[in-house]
Amino acid sequence: MSAPRPNPLLSDRDVDFQLDEVIHVEHLCTLPAFAEHSRETFGLLLDSARRFAREVLYPTYRTLDLEPPSFEGGRVKVHPLMRELYPRLVELGMLTATRPPDVGGQQLPMTVHALASAYLMAANLSAYAYLGLTHGAAHLLEVFGSPEVKQAFMEPLYRGEWTGTMALTEPQAGSSLADVRTRATPAGDGTWRIQGSKIFISGGDQDFTENVVHLTLARTEGPESGTRGISLFAVPARRREGDALVDNDVRVAGVIHKIGWKGIPSLALNYGEAGDCRGWMVGPPGRGLACMFQMMNEARIMVGLNGVATASAAYHEAVAYARERPQGRPAGAKDATRPQSPIIEHADVRRMLLRQKAIVEGGLSLLVTAAYQADLASHAADEDTRRSAGLLVDLLTPVAKSFPAERGFEANALAVQVHGGYGYSSEYLPEAWLRDQKLNSIHEGTTGIQGLDLLGRKVVAGGGAALATFAREVGRTVARAKTAGVDAGWGDALERTCGEVAELVSELGAKGMAGEVELMLRHSADFLELFSILAVAWRWLEQAAAAKEGLARGQGDSDFYEGKLAAAQYWFAVELPRVPLLVDLCRTGEDSYARMRPEWF
């Protein structure tokens, strides 16, 4: 089996372009929260992450994919490499990079942290996942934990001594968290006795740190049903008694065998088989799901980053392969004695590569924008800016999670196709990345759930306030693009489409208000797709404006900017025209699958 070829994972030039020319990240340094930082300090984190990703993490990817964790004697044993990798990941400072100094952080913007994380995800997503989940668990405790809970659990998580998980799903409940059955009973000493089962818990056990803390949803005794009776608990695999860590009655019931993300186990866990599993409540009673949504939304952005990163690594692999793989000759060439051409010379191969580029770089711009708005929502100086940014983050989160996963899978499939017969062989990496990518459309809420969230909640909330904010941002981008000299037809098409979508939301919202909720949500998956196309078109117009501005400066790099303009042209010519068909499906409530009876299948 050949060693993996050198792979940039992400384009450094594109990362700099997104930060410096598209969103102008230095603006964040004018905010009090980031006043001690500069573009140079941002670059230090990015340089450290990309160097570690390429030189250390990426060479371990194939090994962790081929040798997944094992289940022996009731414990999970992960690959020994994780004993080396995890401490070095912690040393990078990624666990606390965005957190304030009082918990050991640097208070860097999420925008910069997201891009640094993307390099690590592209290098070895399952190795990074332990760190990402631990950060999410610790941050949840930081916000909602009591001082005692923070000291007991948050601090060792942030120090990298323990790892964390989110333990929501149960075998009978799946994504329907109102059906959670795990029980929590007060023990009279400030702790709770936890009893029940969880499933699909990523990183639920490992042997490279001394403990794992499960942020667990459980139902407390009382009259409340549905989600109102659910609270949140910190449940360690081993609890502290004096100076020792002792067993806390959390058992691994089984290991799920996955098609991808092989380096991190997905487990079934049983709590309280011996009646001695203790948990510590986090946040107010009965508000567990509301608290957990902080970690869930962070995890959705993380899954979106994973989607972009996985598609990016495969895209760069495909470009390199296409440049060096000779096969065939130009169309019309009949002299078989002429040397074969690299396959990148063939138009259909360039079609596949351009589609990957449009998905990868459009998706990355979307994630960077979501992260930037999250920074403004938390730290902008005035309340109106914070509110508007918060609305945009809420609106974009379902798209930022699902678009990179669904379209990323398509991009990964194209990378396999570019490699031809070598693409589906395990000697080359594209097939492994394709397997990894498929999990992203399921992790942290399936695409169908994201569609219901977007149409059923986000676009209609507050009388459409988030959609109005989105339209204003689109207007600003159109104005920038016209000034920069971008084809005016692109901006006109974007604004026209944005208006059509706003009209559709008004119509669907009226149906929902009239009690026709099923009809309103019937095509929520199609609505998610059309809004994703629209949102990425917005980001491509912004990139086109920045590219035109770069060309006007005449400082070289014309190949990079022309590539951006070609990808933007592709999105406006091939993708944006698909929106009206999807709008029509939503508007008419086309009922082929709605009227389909189970016995007809």
Side-chain angles (χ1 to χ4, degrees):
M1 184 168 290
S2 60
R5 74 166 78 240
N7 186 316
L9 306 174
L10 271 71
S11 162
D12 296 347
R13 179 65 184 90
D14 189 37
V15 167
D16 290 342
F17 174 72
Q18 301 293 342
L19 289 175
D20 301 327
E21 300 176 64
V22 176
I23 65 166
H24 303 292
V25 72
E26 279 192 293
H27 170 72
L28 293 177
C29 298
T30 66
L31 305 181
F34 307 121
E36 295 184 6
H37 289 292
S38 65
R39 184 61 177 86
E40 286 70 30
T41 61
F42 298 164
L44 290 174
L45 181 67
L46 289 167
D47 288 343
S48 297
R50 61 172 59 116
R51 187 166 53 250
F52 184 79
R54 291 166 180 163
E55 296 174 7
V56 180
L57 268 189
Y58 180 55
T60 69
Y61 170 77
R62 193 197 296 274
T63 300
L64 266 63
D65 181 64
L66 291 174
E67 301 176 39
S70 60
F71 185 39
E72 303 173 21
R75 289 295 311 279
V76 171
K77 294 184 178 296
V78 301
H79 197 283
L81 278 171
M82 283 306 306
R83 291 184 177 274
E84 305 170 27
L85 292 176
Y86 194 74
R88 297 186 66 179
L89 279 166
V90 172
E91 287 171 10
L92 278 176
M94 296 293 290
L95 267 176
T96 56
T98 61
R99 308 314 312 138
D102 60 1
V103 295
Q106 301 171 264
Q107 198 152 311
L108 281 159
M110 182 179 173
T111 308
V112 178
H113 183 266
L115 284 167
S117 298
Y119 280 100
L120 302 170
M121 293 168 175
N124 193 328
L125 78 173
S126 54
Y128 178 81
Y130 292 103
L131 196 83
L133 287 165
T134 300
H135 167 83
H139 186 200
L140 194 63
L141 294 168
E142 178 190 337
V143 174
F144 297 108
S146 66
E148 296 76 18
V149 164
K150 289 180 183 180
Q151 183 178 18
F153 302 111
M154 180 197 76
E155 293 181 8
L157 288 173
Y158 271 151
R159 290 195 297 266
E161 296 167 2
W162 299 352
T163 59
T165 77
M166 52 193 303
L168 289 70
T169 308
E170 297 180 5
Q172 83 291 338
S175 299
S176 179
L177 296 178
D179 295 312
V180 162
R181 293 178 187 167
T182 296
R183 309 297 302 190
T185 306
D189 60 357
T191 68
W192 297 70
R193 295 295 184 268
I194 311 295
Q195 193 161 36
S197 299
K198 299 291 180 179
I199 199 167
F200 306 125
I201 309 305
S202 296
D205 192 31
Q206 41 78 8
D207 58 350
F208 59 83
T209 69
E210 63 181 1
N211 207 2
V212 181
V213 180
H214 305 290
L215 273 294
T216 301
L217 292 180
R219 191 172 296 283
T220 53
E221 299 291 341
E224 296 284 7
S225 61
T227 59
R228 293 182 180 180
I230 296 173
S231 298
L232 178 63
F233 299 87
V235 183
R238 283 162 284 283
R239 66 178 184 263
R240 190 171 296 282
E241 291 188 356
D243 294 330
L245 285 175
V246 302
D247 182 82
N248 192 39
D249 197 13
V250 179
R251 300 282 177 264
V252 178
V255 177
I256 287 88
H257 301 284
K258 302 176 293 178
I259 63 170
W261 289 61
K262 294 290 189 102
I264 184 169
S266 182
L267 306 178
L269 299 177
N270 288 339
Y271 296 77
E273 287 183 346
D276 193 31
C277 178
R278 304 183 194 184
W280 285 257
M281 187 175 283
V282 178
R287 298 288 295 164
L289 195 57
C291 296
M292 182 59 86
F293 260 108
Q294 173 187 289
M295 187 173 181
M296 288 170 67
N297 284 329
E298 287 184 358
R300 285 171 177 172
I301 297 294
M302 186 174 80
V303 170
L305 282 168
N306 267 306
V308 166
T310 302
S312 177
Y315 164 63
H316 288 293
E317 193 84 358
V319 169
Y321 181 84
R323 290 187 191 282
E324 67 183 29
R325 167 63 168 159
Q327 185 174 311
R329 293 166 183 83
K334 298 182 180 179
D335 184 358
T337 65
R338 289 181 56 184
Q340 291 185 317
S341 302
I343 62 173
I344 202 168
E345 299 292 338
H346 301 311
D348 193 60
V349 172
R350 293 201 300 279
R351 174 190 65 83
M352 292 188 284
L353 293 175
L354 182 57
R355 187 161 182 80
Q356 290 177 72
K357 178 182 176 72
I359 291 169
V360 168
E361 296 178 9
L364 183 65
S365 186
L366 179 68
L367 265 299
V368 170
T369 300
Y372 183 79
Q373 294 296 329
D375 284 324
L376 293 179
S378 298
H379 302 294
D382 64 283
E383 185 177 345
D384 286 345
T385 301
R386 291 195 300 273
R387 179 178 176 277
S388 294
L391 288 170
L392 273 177
V393 173
D394 285 346
L395 182 69
L396 293 178
T397 295
V399 180
K401 186 273 179 189
S402 57
F403 173 86
E406 294 289 357
R407 291 303 187 90
F409 185 77
E410 182 185 350
N412 279 94
L414 288 169
V416 171
Q417 189 76 9
V418 168
H419 280 74
Y422 295 108
Y424 56 68
S425 69
S426 59
E427 283 75 17
Y428 287 74
L429 286 174
E431 65 85 24
W433 286 317
L434 181 69
R435 290 187 281 105
D436 287 336
Q437 186 70 275
K438 189 62 209 128
L439 276 69
N440 289 320
S441 60
I442 300 171
H443 281 160
E444 307 313 327
T446 63
T447 302
I449 288 173
Q450 304 306 320
L452 290 170
D453 182 41
L454 179 64
L455 181 55
R457 297 185 184 92
K458 301 300 174 58
V459 295
V460 294
L467 197 60
T469 301
F470 176 81
R472 286 196 296 273
E473 291 301 314
V474 166
R476 291 191 185 101
T477 299
V478 170
R480 178 185 180 184
K482 286 180 179 177
T483 301
V486 175
D487 185 337
W490 296 359
D492 293 342
L494 183 61
E495 288 194 307
R496 183 172 59 252
T497 305
C498 196
E500 291 172 358
V501 172
E503 289 178 10
L504 174 65
V505 169
S506 180
E507 293 175 25
L508 294 177
K511 291 177 181 178
M513 291 292 289
E516 297 179 289
V517 177
E518 187 279 330
L519 186 58
M520 173 191 176
L521 298 176
R522 182 177 294 169
H523 285 275
S524 56
D526 292 318
F527 184 85
L528 175 62
E529 183 174 3
L530 71 86
F531 196 82
S532 298
I533 293 170
L534 175 65
V536 174
W538 166 47
R539 300 322 304 151
W540 268 117
L541 188 65
E542 195 89 50
Q543 292 185 79
K548 280 286 191 180
E549 292 161 0
L551 287 169
R553 289 192 296 270
Q555 298 174 344
D557 223 0
S558 61
D559 287 345
F560 175 82
Y561 292 130
E562 292 292 353
K564 284 289 182 184
L565 291 170
Q569 175 188 334
Y570 177 87
W571 201 261
F572 278 90
V574 175
E575 285 296 311
L576 195 63
R578 296 182 57 241
V579 172
L581 171 62
L582 295 166
V583 166
D584 192 56
L585 290 173
C586 296
R587 174 173 285 130
T588 62
E590 194 282 324
D591 71 345
S592 56
Y593 56 82
R595 72 184 187 87
M596 190 74 180
R597 298 177 185 173
E599 60 269 23
W600 293 356
F601 282 100

